[in-house]
Amino acid sequence: MVRGFSAKLKEVTSGEVTHLVIFKDNEPAAVLVGVEAYQALQDELEDLRAERLAIERLSTLDKQNTVSLEDMEARFE
């Protein structure tokens, strides 16, 4: 990897390959991904966490104290 890093980095950043797994002592040690792929993974993870939180909150929703979207919008007009 040391001698060919520049070429491998170019492969990832150009989109020629999506990722590279870097091994140390015959074991996976790290993954090299481009910035766009990393950001896409981060965005997807954030979306999944928000969805999980919404699902958890729905189970404890108190319908007596909820406000409709229309009522909330009217409050801020």
Side-chain angles (χ1 to χ4, degrees):
M1 186 66 173
V2 173
R3 284 177 264 141
F5 182 75
S6 182
K8 296 298 183 187
L9 181 61
K10 186 174 182 177
E11 288 178 16
V12 171
T13 57
S14 71
E16 187 178 334
V17 296
T18 58
H19 65 281
L20 289 174
V21 178
I22 302 167
F23 286 79
K24 180 177 182 179
D25 300 326
N26 292 327
E27 295 288 329
V31 177
L32 180 65
V33 296
V35 172
E36 288 181 13
Y38 177 77
Q39 190 59 55
L41 287 170
Q42 289 295 103
D43 292 345
E44 185 174 354
L45 182 58
E46 185 178 329
D47 291 346
L48 289 170
R49 285 179 175 158
E51 184 176 348
R52 187 192 77 216
L53 183 58
I55 290 169
E56 289 173 1
R57 288 181 176 175
L58 279 174
S59 68
T60 61
L61 182 66
D62 180 5
K63 295 189 187 254
Q64 300 294 332
N65 293 320
T66 58
V67 178
S68 71
L69 176 60
E70 293 80 15
D71 290 343
M72 185 60 76
E73 288 174 340
R75 289 182 185 183
F76 292 98
E77 287 183 349

